[in-house]
Amino acid sequence: MTRSASPALPIAYSQEVAAARARAAPLVALESTIITHGMPYPGNLDMARSVESIIRAEGAVPATIAVIDGVLHIGLETAQLEALAQTDGAMKLSRADLAFAIAERRTGATTVAATMIAAARAGIRVFATGGIGGVHRKAEETFDISADLEELSRTGVIVVCAGPKAILDIPKTLEVLETRGVPVVSYDSPVFPAFWSRDSGLPSPLMLNSPAAIANFQKTRDQLGVDGGMLIANPVPAESEIPREEMEIYITRALDNAERDEIAGKEVTPYLLDALFRLTDGRSLATNIALVENNARLAAEIAVALSE
Ligand code: PSU
Ligand code: MN
């Protein structure tokens, strides 16, 4: 790389993504924090691979996003994905530090917020994940509100998730999204889902029943000049869900442990996911994988509908 006064951003597209961009094929962005900080190896790699193949089967192209040695990758080659899934010290990148990792030539995984920034920059309009970050319980004391919510309000990407992780304060999370003008749409369900469970006990602000209707809603927002993102909440398939009452028992225990261990900041979400994995004997992980796969399918369908 030659150096000039203002070198271009180090950005690399995988072969598959570059080819898809050249023919304007529908693309679906995928985050990488779920790989490095959300699930243990090798389940994380199995999940990452299966999600990519589900997107291909629906006629779209997957673009897993990560920073590797200071290069922003839009789409990972097979060996890069395998290496990332086994990397230990990857940073967990959000809006605050995505550029830091690039500038300092570090390796880092992108959260929902950082993945949205990278996807928007690459012209990718749809993104599949598991659960977004949100307002943590006791946020009135800790001020812990995920940067994912702010990003949804400003960056024009459709994020398909299974609801906010139930470890969060879901009513407060919905309040913030409403305040920031983020449309929250449940897919084919009148109730708002809560990640491992299909029903959070709260009604959904909006509901749509088909990828075409979601694409049409987005096109209308574009016509109206309303920018920012949109959140699609896709309930986990019934056969994979852990009912809310049961999950709540484990969540209470995991939150108690987090408080005892004085976990704060970026550590909170990975700590709780790991604690739940152990408290549920791995069941929470199986559910997590099933819901990400389900979201990948819907995101691909939306990307295809948007391109029609
Ligand atoms: N959903 C998962 N596993 C995860 C995450 C979401 O099933 O690991 C990650 C996402 O990257 C999300 C992040 O953006 O957790 C939120 O972290 P925080 O609460 O620190 O903002
Ligand atoms: Mn936080």
Side-chain angles (χ1 to χ4, degrees):
M1 214 175 348
T2 52
R3 284 177 171 266
S4 63
S6 55
L9 182 76
I11 186 164
Y13 297 94
S14 66
Q15 283 186 28
E16 186 185 18
V17 170
R21 282 163 58 86
R23 60 177 207 278
L27 283 150
V28 173
L30 295 163
E31 63 154 305
S32 45
T33 295
I34 192 169
I35 301 173
T36 56
H37 294 71
M39 294 181 190
Y41 179 83
N44 61 349
L45 181 59
D46 294 342
M47 180 279 304
R49 284 185 174 137
S50 86
V51 160
E52 289 200 348
S53 56
I54 285 167
I55 290 168
R56 291 186 191 106
E58 294 294 337
V61 172
T64 300
I65 291 173
V67 176
I68 302 175
D69 298 329
V71 176
L72 177 60
H73 286 264
I74 312 290
L76 299 180
E77 307 297 348
T78 307
Q80 292 170 330
L81 191 64
E82 283 170 6
L84 190 72
Q86 297 172 73
T87 301
D88 264 340
M91 293 177 75
K92 175 181 162 187
L93 304 174
S94 190
R95 169 173 280 266
D97 41 19
L98 177 61
F100 176 92
I102 297 168
E104 290 293 309
R105 306 202 175 150
R106 304 277 280 272
T107 291
T110 52
T111 59
V112 168
T115 306
M116 288 180 78
I117 294 169
R121 203 181 181 290
I124 303 175
R125 304 214 58 196
V126 187
F127 161 24
T129 182
I132 57 157
V135 181
H136 280 262
R137 299 186 193 189
K138 298 193 185 163
E140 63 276 20
E141 289 167 27
T142 63
F143 280 44
D144 190 350
I145 302 177
S146 176
D148 291 353
L149 299 184
E150 181 67 28
E151 204 59 49
L152 277 161
S153 76
R154 57 203 285 182
T155 302
V157 174
I158 299 174
V159 179
V160 182
C161 71
K165 271 157 288 180
I167 52 177
L168 302 167
D169 186 320
I170 297 182
K172 287 196 183 79
T173 300
L174 283 172
E175 283 296 342
V176 170
L177 289 167
E178 186 190 58
T179 302
R180 307 280 187 186
V182 178
V184 175
V185 181
S186 284
Y187 184 67
D188 211 12
S189 167
V191 294
F192 190 61
F195 201 70
W196 298 280
S197 318
R198 290 176 59 83
D199 183 1
S200 63
L202 299 165
S204 183
L206 301 169
M207 179 178 74
L208 290 169
N209 298 326
S210 69
I214 293 168
N216 184 50
F217 178 27
Q218 181 56 47
K219 284 178 181 166
T220 308
R221 295 179 74 216
D222 294 342
Q223 289 166 340
L224 201 56
V226 174
D227 55 11
M230 135 139 75
L231 188 66
I232 307 296
N234 187 28
V236 62
E239 65 274 16
S240 301
E241 87 161 329
I242 305 177
R244 186 158 55 102
E245 305 72 44
E246 187 186 349
M247 206 57 214
E248 198 54 39
I249 298 169
Y250 306 127
I251 290 171
T252 306
R253 225 174 290 166
L255 288 167
D256 285 347
N257 293 352
E259 206 168 320
R260 181 199 62 205
D261 293 348
E262 295 178 13
I263 306 299
K266 280 173 180 275
E267 310 294 318
V268 173
T269 298
Y271 177 98
L272 292 174
L273 291 174
D274 182 59
L276 289 170
F277 171 62
R278 281 178 287 106
L279 287 166
T280 60
D281 283 323
R283 247 173 92 211
S284 69
L285 179 61
T287 300
N288 200 340
I289 293 173
L291 64 84
V292 183
E293 291 174 346
N294 193 45
N295 295 342
R297 191 169 304 112
L298 178 57
E301 289 172 348
I302 295 168
V304 169
L306 270 174
S307 72
E308 274 159 7

